[in-house]
Amino acid sequence: MDNNNMKYITVLDFEDGKVYQYDIDGLGFNPDTFHESCEEYLIGKGHNLGNIEWMTSNSNEIIKD
């Protein structure tokens, strides 16, 4: 997967039962440490890495079907 095209992080937070989506386009994460940079970003947003699942995407579309 090409991390350079990733523009959004979507988070399932099991602590509060909510779904979060963050725009990361333009934040300049280093491709060599992309995963670690995303995790640091999520910690900074107040998420507990032990109680979330997250993914990156180039689209902010959420399918509700």
Side-chain angles (χ1 to χ4, degrees):
M1 182 176 296
D2 182 10
N3 293 330
N4 291 327
N5 291 328
M6 297 299 116
K7 297 178 181 178
Y8 302 94
I9 299 176
T10 302
V11 179
L12 301 175
D13 192 315
F14 300 110
E15 286 186 7
D16 63 12
K18 295 181 181 177
V19 178
Y20 295 84
Q21 192 168 68
Y22 301 106
D23 184 344
I24 60 168
D25 191 27
L27 292 183
F29 291 161
N30 181 338
D32 295 332
T33 59
F34 184 77
H35 184 87
E36 293 83 2
S37 296
C38 289
E39 288 187 340
E40 287 176 18
Y41 178 83
L42 293 173
I43 291 168
K45 289 291 189 179
H47 295 287
N48 177 348
L49 295 180
N51 289 317
I52 66 171
E53 292 291 334
W54 63 274
M55 63 177 253
T56 57
S57 175
N58 61 359
S59 170
N60 67 346
E61 178 183 16
I62 296 176
I63 299 169
K64 298 179 182 182
D65 256 346

